[in-house]
Amino acid sequence: MKWMKLVAVLCLALTCRAEEGKDLGAIWFVGDSITQSNADGDPQGSPRKALYDLLTAHGYQFSYTGHHVRNVDGLPETGATPAENRYHYHSGISGSVIDEPIRRRVGMTQSMSTFWTSGRLAEVKPDIILIMLGTNDMGERFDLPNAPKRLSALVQTIYDLPDVGNPKIFLATIPPSRRNEAETASVIEFNQAIPAIVETFRAQGKAIYFVDQFTPLNEAYETSMRPDNLHPNAAGNTTMAEQWYQAIVSVCGAKEGTGFSGNKTDFRGFDRFEIPTAEGRISVVCPKQAAPGKPWLWRSIFWGMKGSAVERFTRADLQLLEQGFHVVVAPGDVSGHPRGNKKIDAAYELLTETYGFSKTVSMASMSRETLALFRWASANPEKVESIYVDNGVCNLNSWPGGKLVPGSGSKGSGSKKSWALLKETYGFATDEEALAATVSPIDLLEPLAKAGVPILMGCGTRDRTVPYEENGAILKERYEELGGAIEVVFEDKDHHPHGLADPAPVVEFVKSNRLRKAGL
């Protein structure tokens, strides 16, 4: 089926031509020595040079701006005057701290008005601003409790500069530090506060976006960081540039197209594409503007169907689409057999490798969809951010078994047709063999608990099809015994309608665990 992968890649290449040649305007780097790149051990490279290479390779037009030209690092010469010198300027200053100068270190907030009228910034104002700052504040142990507030004040100072307009600001977490335990902990705590800063300004209508630089550097620490346990090396520079690039293209390239081709339909005002994978076809519902990192949600067979039974389940997803998440409908096996995993694997590979989707995914299911969800998630726990289950089938003896199958011990209604399909799919010769099998979600929890995957369940107190005490209650008890985090939200309802009346807990659960998986 290699030809199907080739088709997908060719489709991407064709649709991406719309992005090529897009003028991004002027990009302004604001940071410390990591941005200046004077301590990376790579005289011909820097995060600025690596981003230059990525943007030019994909046909983007842009320039860099800033107040000085230190550590050129292999960037091309284009002219002698600030206006003509398109790629050397930036505002990365070795040793700088967020706001006020301490111990002879430059205070960036206090210096902004001077920078604004210096160098190329005096003539070329930024359209895109990349900010990564705070490493030296952590190292100096300077006013740590107020560091996030001081970073927020820096952003506000930039917005208050004369004639600044409304540039797109990308605010990043700082790289990991392992010089000592206290500094390591301070970096993590500081980074955890940055998404809230972004959300505050976004609520004011500002075009500001979160970028996670910490996680990829931390995950490849030994190969990405220098022996000083503070500065990224050449490989780290490339990693940071890739994070900046993904964020910029997700935001600034989104207007040029989704990158998908094939059959396009409308789903509640969002573009929905049917695209081929190596194992079949999937549906991808695209946000108006993809969030940095391209987060996504896995959904299955019943998602998006019309009717009151599933309508409420869709509400949370619509809110997440508004906030930049993609929704991907990629069903596995309806009985939860491992053979269905290859279908989801193919979707995962295509979306992450070809379309740049996040390497981790949020998953949600209703009713029998839960069987395929837990089958894949338990085999790929490191790829799962969170799991939300609504009146989910967690115990096959309860459904499709139920009271129809002697010896099941269930009071549920069951399904004769689905029980027969289950036996055929797994090759069970008798009811007794099927009842004794350990192939239910309640039997697949250990890898997820070990990986720390959180679970949220919505359960009807009057569910006669998938009774809570035979499904969700058993899953909750076993997951907690394994050390897993699980929460149950009860509603006074039968098996239908699926979805919580108020989608807010689901939206918050998905968003917060997206950040948790990123280490924030």
Side-chain angles (χ1 to χ4, degrees):
M1 303 296 284
K2 291 182 178 179
W3 68 270
M4 298 187 76
K5 291 185 179 180
L6 178 60
V7 169
V9 172
L10 289 174
C11 288
L12 175 66
L14 289 171
T15 54
C16 280
R17 286 180 182 173
E19 287 189 352
E20 294 180 356
K22 178 174 173 60
D23 190 350
L24 299 173
I27 300 173
W28 182 24
F29 279 89
V30 177
D32 46 39
S33 60
I34 298 171
T35 297
Q36 183 177 327
S37 68
N38 61 302
D40 57 12
D42 183 14
Q44 292 302 309
S46 68
R48 293 173 287 112
K49 174 61 164 62
L51 179 61
Y52 168 88
D53 291 340
L54 282 170
L55 290 173
T56 53
H58 289 84
Y60 285 97
Q61 301 171 36
F62 64 98
S63 69
Y64 289 160
T65 191
H67 78 284
H68 71 180
V69 288
R70 296 178 184 172
N71 297 91
V72 173
D73 293 327
L75 285 162
E77 296 272 0
T78 59
T81 68
E84 296 169 340
N85 190 342
R86 293 175 55 83
Y87 303 114
H88 290 181
Y89 280 89
H90 61 92
S91 292
I93 302 179
S94 180
S96 62
V97 291
I98 294 171
D99 49 1
E100 299 177 359
I102 57 169
R103 301 179 182 90
R104 297 184 179 180
R105 295 179 180 272
V106 173
M108 297 297 279
T109 300
Q110 193 176 90
S111 303
M112 276 296 142
S113 59
T114 301
F115 294 168
W116 197 242
T117 56
S118 303
R120 197 167 196 256
L121 265 178
E123 302 180 40
V124 181
K125 302 306 183 187
D127 300 284
I128 293 171
I129 305 174
L130 310 180
I131 304 173
M132 187 175 69
L133 197 62
T135 293
N136 293 310
D137 297 74
M138 302 301 107
E140 293 283 354
R141 315 293 296 164
F142 175 61
D143 191 20
L144 296 182
N146 291 311
K149 185 183 297 184
R150 294 187 290 111
L151 182 62
S152 180
L154 168 68
V155 175
Q156 186 60 59
T157 298
I158 291 174
Y159 281 129
D160 291 340
L161 291 168
D163 301 319
V164 71
N166 190 24
K168 293 178 174 63
I169 293 181
F170 296 85
L171 189 63
T173 52
I174 61 176
S177 170
R178 297 185 185 177
R179 295 195 296 183
N180 56 70
E181 291 185 2
E183 190 169 330
T184 298
S186 296
V187 168
I188 293 172
E189 185 175 357
F190 174 68
N191 282 338
Q192 288 174 337
I194 293 178
I197 298 173
V198 172
E199 288 299 321
T200 298
F201 282 106
R202 286 183 67 84
Q204 300 171 18
K206 301 297 187 183
I208 184 169
Y209 307 91
F210 170 73
V211 180
D212 180 18
Q213 294 286 11
F214 174 87
T215 299
L217 291 171
N218 195 52
E219 289 178 345
Y221 191 92
E222 288 73 18
T223 57
S224 297
M225 302 295 292
R226 298 204 72 197
D228 65 3
N229 285 318
L230 184 66
H231 294 93
N233 57 22
N237 285 340
T238 299
T239 296
M240 289 186 290
E242 289 171 349
Q243 295 298 104
W244 289 129
Y245 174 79
Q246 293 266 352
I248 291 170
V249 171
S250 292
V251 173
C252 303
K255 295 180 181 179
E256 303 298 331
T258 63
F260 294 108
S261 185
N263 182 38
K264 183 177 80 169
T265 57
D266 176 82
F267 182 83
R268 316 283 179 89
F270 296 95
D271 289 339
R272 180 174 184 171
F273 292 87
E274 302 293 324
I275 61 174
T277 74
E279 296 292 337
R281 301 187 69 82
I282 61 174
S283 291
V284 180
V285 186
C286 300
K288 303 292 185 184
Q289 181 170 281
K294 290 191 176 180
W296 55 296
L297 303 97
W298 176 90
R299 300 298 181 257
S300 195
I301 52 177
F302 299 129
W303 189 87
M305 295 176 65
K306 295 180 179 180
S308 59
V310 299
E311 176 63 29
R312 296 198 319 190
F313 190 77
T314 311
R315 293 175 186 171
D317 292 14
L318 290 171
Q319 290 190 21
L320 289 164
L321 278 164
E322 291 284 359
Q323 297 180 47
F325 283 70
H326 286 79
V327 173
V328 177
V329 183
D333 183 79
V334 70
S335 297
H337 192 278
R339 69 185 184 186
N341 281 1
K342 63 182 181 180
K343 299 178 182 178
I344 306 176
D345 287 338
Y348 178 89
E349 180 182 356
L350 176 67
L351 295 172
T352 59
E353 298 299 328
T354 302
Y355 293 99
F357 278 31
S358 169
K359 296 285 188 177
T360 55
V361 58
S362 171
M363 304 186 77
S365 64
M366 62 182 105
S367 195
R368 76 183 75 175
E369 297 174 342
T370 304
L371 302 175
L373 185 157
F374 274 91
R375 177 60 69 183
W376 189 84
S378 65
N380 300 274
E382 75 286 353
K383 299 174 182 175
V384 181
E385 295 171 2
S386 64
I387 293 172
Y388 164 53
V389 174
D390 187 87
N391 284 346
V393 175
C394 304
N395 178 8
L396 289 164
N397 290 5
S398 176
W399 194 98
K403 59 187 178 183
L404 300 177
V405 180
S408 69
S410 172
K411 66 178 184 181
S413 58
S415 169
K416 184 177 180 180
K417 181 178 179 181
S418 294
W419 181 253
L421 177 61
L422 171 76
K423 291 169 63 178
E424 179 184 351
T425 299
Y426 279 93
F428 298 140
T430 64
D431 289 345
E432 290 76 16
E433 185 181 0
L435 291 171
T438 54
V439 294
S440 297
I442 57 174
D443 304 312
L444 305 173
L445 300 175
E446 186 173 357
L448 296 165
K450 285 183 177 180
V453 177
I455 299 174
L456 174 66
M457 290 196 298
C459 298
T461 56
R462 297 182 285 107
D463 192 337
R464 294 167 293 179
T465 305
V466 183
Y468 171 72
E469 59 270 23
E470 300 176 9
N471 291 271
I474 298 174
L475 190 144
K476 182 175 186 295
E477 179 181 5
R478 292 188 181 183
Y479 206 57
E480 289 178 336
E481 288 177 353
L482 291 166
I486 184 168
E487 180 183 356
V488 181
V489 178
F490 292 102
E491 288 192 334
D492 181 22
K493 64 181 183 181
D494 198 348
H495 191 59
H496 297 149
H498 283 293
L500 300 181
D502 177 10
V506 179
V507 174
E508 180 58 32
F509 175 75
V510 171
K511 289 174 60 180
S512 64
N513 285 296
R514 163 75 178 160
L515 297 175
R516 175 199 61 82
K517 190 69 173 179
L520 302 174

